[in-house]
Amino acid sequence: MSYVYPFSPIITESEVRTSISKMDTEREHAAFIYAFTAVTLDLTRSSQTTKSTPQSAPAQITELMRQSVETQQPLVIGFRPSILRATTSIFIQMCAMSLGHYDLGFFHLREAISMIQMLRIGDKTVNAGLSTAERARRQRLYWQCFIHERFMSIVNFSPVTLPPHSQYPEEDTFVGADIQRGWTQVIKTFCMLDASFIGLWIGDRTQVTASWVERKHRELDDELWEVEVSALSELQQADLVITRQWMRTLLWQMAMSNCLLSSHASCPSLELEMPLRLSSQLRQFLTKISENTIRVHGSSMISKLLEIVNTIADVVIHVPQATREETTSRIDDIVFMQGVVLPFNNLQVMSKDILLDKFRLIRGRFPHIEVAMQLAV
């Protein structure tokens, strides 16, 4: 409940306990508990590197996913969707993504989306007959599917089906005010991955214009957001700050792909060296929080950090030669980020190899820079 619920505030602790009590007799509850256990292991153990961590965590997660899927009630005539079944699908999707099975994750996310559409969560007539707490829970479920679909669209270049919900989740006494505030900030952040952003990311990037990049940059560069996020818990801040830097990196990549970058641009997101400033900002933030705070966010955090570090490395390799002092500072930031990313046990082999290839290239390119020798090979 400490690590899963804040970012999936759908099924309460009392409801989880009820499912545990019913799992021997009711398949839907059993399937949920298997998935709930799998995602808890994924977020609390699979990314840790302590000696006490069992090396079989991925195998345990895989087995629990299998049990959950095989226990599910088949989708036959007479089937009725439920909040519990939709949440089960989301948890399986999260575990599949963590294990690198993106197609399987895509399938289970679409299953969850089908559930919320069958439940008519966006229908005002249906919602009018619900209690405030139940209506708010369904709104959170809708937004969670929205967030996961937007993230998967970026990492897997897949289309999206869910538009933003007509409103943010209503206040719910069953959800703490701190979780409510953090959840609303996550929603606001992913709403910036709007139809134009997704369309340009997975489609024709020649349509990316400088004015569009500047507009998106202004959305991401929000001083009020920084004040609001600073009041949240360390766990919530880590998710939001790194996600925001990840989005800035994506925006810069889109500008680069259409040759819009310049050394003397009026907008930071159009500057060649923008990722280097992001790395410095991100390092300052990461030094203030514990490593475990980063690791409990699972595979989504790994994906975001990898995108950022890979981009920083590309800039160091390809941007015109800087002074020795500037180059040393840039590489030192990469050495720091290396220490954040590489210890993840569930870092996929291909992603790790790509990163190590870039580290080797930097070492070879800058043999006169002492700190470069600290990069892993």
Side-chain angles (χ1 to χ4, degrees):
M1 296 308 296
S2 297
Y3 295 115
V4 177
Y5 190 72
F7 301 97
S8 184
I10 313 300
I11 307 300
T12 65
E13 180 174 347
S14 63
E15 290 169 328
V16 173
R17 293 183 183 278
T18 297
S19 286
I20 292 172
S21 70
K22 293 182 176 181
M23 67 182 296
D24 288 336
T25 56
E26 298 186 35
R27 295 171 68 172
E28 185 173 63
H29 289 284
F32 169 75
I33 291 302
Y34 288 135
F36 179 81
T37 308
V39 79
T40 301
L41 286 174
D42 178 49
L43 297 180
T44 60
R45 290 169 67 179
S46 65
S47 296
Q48 295 176 357
T49 56
T50 60
K51 293 181 180 179
S52 61
T53 300
Q55 293 301 311
S56 60
Q60 288 178 305
I61 293 166
T62 301
E63 174 61 17
L64 287 162
M65 288 171 59
R66 183 193 64 77
Q67 289 180 284
S68 180
V69 171
E70 292 183 358
T71 305
Q72 295 275 28
Q73 188 74 30
L75 301 180
V76 295
I77 294 174
F79 166 79
R80 291 292 180 268
S82 69
I83 302 296
L84 197 68
R85 177 73 180 251
T87 305
T88 300
S89 296
I90 290 173
F91 287 163
I92 294 174
Q93 175 248 332
M94 292 169 66
C95 292
M97 293 286 286
S98 180
L99 295 170
H101 300 297
Y102 298 118
D103 289 346
L104 185 62
F106 177 81
F107 174 85
H108 285 284
L109 177 60
R110 283 295 172 89
E111 183 176 76
I113 291 172
S114 296
M115 297 288 170
I116 67 172
Q117 291 175 332
M118 292 167 71
L119 288 164
R120 296 167 64 192
I121 287 178
D123 190 319
K124 292 183 179 180
T125 303
V126 173
N127 289 334
L130 302 173
S131 67
T132 301
E134 181 60 23
R135 189 166 58 247
R137 181 225 291 271
R138 291 178 177 224
Q139 290 164 352
R140 292 194 299 274
L141 175 60
Y142 185 102
W143 279 113
Q144 183 167 23
C145 287
F146 172 89
I147 290 164
H148 284 217
E149 188 179 40
R150 298 286 155 145
F151 176 73
M152 179 161 279
S153 179
I154 296 296
V155 300
N156 204 40
F157 293 91
S158 55
V160 296
T161 59
L162 288 178
H165 196 282
S166 60
Q167 66 181 99
Y168 296 136
E170 297 174 57
E171 290 190 15
D172 184 351
T173 55
F174 288 99
V175 179
D178 54 342
I179 292 178
Q180 187 95 19
R181 286 194 299 270
W183 188 239
T184 301
Q185 288 294 345
V186 174
I187 292 170
K188 289 180 178 178
T189 297
F190 274 87
C191 279
M192 286 187 280
L193 296 179
D194 56 17
S196 65
F197 198 113
I198 296 296
L200 290 169
W201 178 261
I202 67 177
D204 183 6
R205 295 194 188 178
T206 63
Q207 301 302 308
V208 175
T209 63
S211 60
W212 181 84
V213 173
E214 289 172 355
R215 185 169 68 255
K216 277 296 172 186
H217 174 82
R218 288 193 295 271
E219 289 180 28
L220 288 164
D221 196 29
D222 183 353
E223 292 184 2
L224 178 59
W225 176 86
E226 294 180 7
V227 173
E228 292 173 340
V229 169
S230 66
L232 299 175
S233 71
E234 183 177 277
L235 192 66
Q236 292 167 320
Q237 285 188 50
D239 180 44
L240 287 161
V241 170
I242 292 172
T243 297
R244 187 68 66 114
Q245 298 294 65
W246 169 69
M247 288 182 177
R248 289 187 172 113
T249 301
L250 299 178
L251 182 62
W252 182 88
Q253 289 181 7
M254 292 168 76
M256 178 188 66
S257 66
N258 205 19
C259 303
L260 298 175
L261 302 180
S262 167
S263 297
H264 306 287
S266 57
C267 172
S269 289
L270 293 170
E271 293 180 356
L272 281 168
E273 299 183 357
M274 191 276 288
L276 302 177
R277 281 199 297 277
L278 289 186
S279 72
S280 179
Q281 294 168 6
L282 191 55
R283 179 177 181 175
Q284 290 176 21
F285 172 75
L286 291 174
T287 55
K288 299 176 184 177
I289 62 176
S290 69
E291 288 185 8
N292 194 52
T293 298
I294 303 170
R295 302 197 195 292
V296 297
H297 287 286
S299 63
S300 65
M301 183 66 74
I302 299 175
S303 296
K304 293 167 189 173
L305 288 171
L306 278 171
E307 196 75 55
I308 294 169
V309 177
N310 270 306
T311 303
I312 295 167
D314 285 337
V315 173
V316 169
I317 292 168
H318 298 293
V319 160
Q321 190 76 11
T323 65
R324 184 187 183 97
E325 183 179 356
E326 289 172 335
T327 303
T328 300
S329 177
R330 295 171 180 180
I331 296 175
D332 192 48
D333 283 344
I334 294 179
V335 170
F336 173 83
M337 294 299 295
Q338 165 189 272
V340 174
V341 174
L342 290 187
F344 275 92
N345 276 347
N346 51 352
L347 180 63
Q348 298 299 313
V349 173
M350 181 178 295
S351 298
K352 185 175 182 178
D353 287 346
I354 291 171
L355 204 54
L356 291 177
D357 282 343
K358 292 182 181 180
F359 290 165
R360 280 190 283 269
L361 190 55
I362 292 173
R363 285 186 60 152
R365 184 73 56 84
F366 303 103
H368 57 290
I369 304 294
E370 185 177 345
V371 71
M373 298 303 107
Q374 298 177 32
L375 288 169
V377 295

